[in-house]
Structure formats: C-alpha cells, structure tokens
Amino acid sequence: MKPERALVAARMLAQHCAELVRPAPPAAELIARLDTAGATLAAALAAALSPLLSFEAPKVEPQPASECGAGALPELIASQVSLSLLRAGKDQGPLLVAVDGEAVLRLVDRAFGGKGTAPNPLPATFPLSAELMIARLEALIMAAVDQAWLLGGSISFAGRSTALVGLAPITPGSLAVQHFVVTEGGGARWSITLALPQMAIAELIGQSARGLASGQQPRAEA
C-alpha cells in the first residue's frame, strides 16, 4: 500500500549559524579595530585619571597599535614598570596593563602634598604607599577599559608584579600592543601600555569599534 504523503526526515539537518562558522578576521583587521577604539579609550583614561591630578584631566594620546610575539613583549615595556594582569570579556581572557613606575612614585609624592617628584635613583622595589597607588590606578584603568570597550562590567583583577615572569603567561600566540602617552598639566609625560591576545580583540572591542566608527551604538553579538 502506498503512503498517502511523502516521508519527511525524523529531525532537521543541522543549520550552522554564519557567526559560528565565519573565519577569524585577519591580524591587520584586528589591529585596525584596536586603533579605532583607541581614541575612545584615551578619553576614558583622561577622565579616569583626573582625580589623581587635582581633577585636572591630562592629555592622553593613543599610539598606533602593533603586533608582536609574546617573547618580544619585554622590549616594548619600560624597565621600571608596574604590571597588572586583568581578565576581560565573557571568556575572561588576559589583558596586561603596564604603567610607568616613575609616574607612580610621582603620583604618590603629590598625594602626600609634594610637588610630584620621584626619588633619584628609583627604589628597587615599590614601597607600600606606591602599591596602594597602583591598586587605585588599576581600578581607574579597569573602569576606563570597561566603559570604552562596552564590557558591561566583565573585567576583573588577576595579579600584579614588576616583571613578566611574576605573572602567568598572557598567551602563547601573537599579541596586540598599544601605548597611551599621558601628558600632565605641568608637562610631565608617562605611559600606559595594554597588551592582549590578538584573537581576543574580536570579542572585546569588535562590536564597539564598529559602532564608534559609524557613530552608532553597537548591536549585540548574534
């Protein structure tokens, strides 16, 4: 006896979402996204740092982002720095922040009523007062990154050191690095450096970078 209707599959064939099978963006595109978001992060950093500078917002200039291997990272960071390891995004990927150590000591001197000078020579290790200032800087930088990259609060502190060997390896692959030059009202200049895995850029600032480029609010990921 013939069936009265055509047979159909017991279940639907898998239909893969284009967002899941789409190839990863090339390195040049990822670096460009970081550059696009640089101006917004610089503005957020300037506003965040102003309480440490008598509420006078410094000038913060983003430098062109670059690509480097993990082994070349020490060459891009000043010798006397404070290194903070953050975790950002839904996957809590690593984000390394390096702050000029001499600038930290100048901020400490200003906080205690001084003119903002650092000891010469610089101490081999940071005193407790500097560690407290670094913790405050970390909180301000985290807030600025959260705001600029539209992370929705998904950023946390993971560790601190004065040497890369004191922190867990940030990534075995290629990194994206961007320097931000801070110029205080009196002319003193120092730097904040961010380093993160290249492939994390698509998640952390991919949508916000496109939104900033078009002047619109970014849409949620599919």
Side-chain angles (χ1 to χ4, degrees), residues 105-209:
L105 294 171
R106 289 202 304 266
L107 290 172
V108 170
D109 184 67
R110 183 182 287 110
F112 282 92
K115 296 181 179 180
T117 58
N120 187 13
L122 296 176
T125 59
F126 287 117
L128 177 59
S129 57
E131 292 286 349
L132 295 174
M133 179 60 69
I134 291 168
R136 189 176 179 189
L137 276 167
E138 287 166 347
L140 295 174
I141 292 171
M142 286 170 60
V145 172
D146 184 26
Q147 174 189 343
W149 291 0
L150 307 179
L151 297 180
S154 59
I155 184 168
S156 58
F157 173 78
R160 182 189 307 145
S161 180
T162 55
L164 285 172
V165 294
L167 298 172
I170 181 172
T171 176
S174 296
L175 300 175
V177 178
Q178 189 167 29
H179 302 286
F180 293 83
V181 178
V182 181
T183 304
E184 299 177 14
R189 291 164 60 91
W190 46 285
S191 65
I192 298 173
T193 301
L194 271 60
L196 68 159
Q198 275 188 30
M199 297 313 299
I201 296 175
E203 177 206 343
L204 294 178
I205 60 175
Q207 290 297 321
S208 60

Side-chain angles (χ1 to χ4, degrees), residues 66-79 81-85 94-98 162-165 167-179 192-197:
S66 62
E67 176 184 0
C68 80
L73 186 58
E75 300 177 7
L76 299 178
I77 298 176
S79 57
V81 295
S82 168
L83 300 172
S84 302
L85 182 62
L95 172 63
L96 186 70
V97 178
T162 55
L164 285 172
V165 294
L167 298 172
I170 181 172
T171 176
S174 296
L175 300 175
V177 178
Q178 189 167 29
H179 302 286
I192 298 173
T193 301
L194 271 60
L196 68 159

Side-chain angles (χ1 to χ4, degrees), residues 24-101:
E29 179 182 332
L30 292 171
I31 297 297
R33 291 186 189 183
L34 190 59
D35 271 331
T36 300
T40 301
L41 179 52
L45 286 170
L49 294 172
S50 65
L52 301 180
L53 302 169
S54 301
F55 290 93
E56 180 181 358
K59 181 179 181 181
V60 181
E61 299 174 287
Q63 305 302 296
S66 62
E67 176 184 0
C68 80
L73 186 58
E75 300 177 7
L76 299 178
I77 298 176
S79 57
Q80 177 76 8
V81 295
S82 168
L83 300 172
S84 302
L85 182 62
L86 310 178
R87 298 287 179 182
K90 63 180 181 181
D91 294 332
Q92 290 292 281
L95 172 63
L96 186 70
V97 178
V99 178
D100 187 324

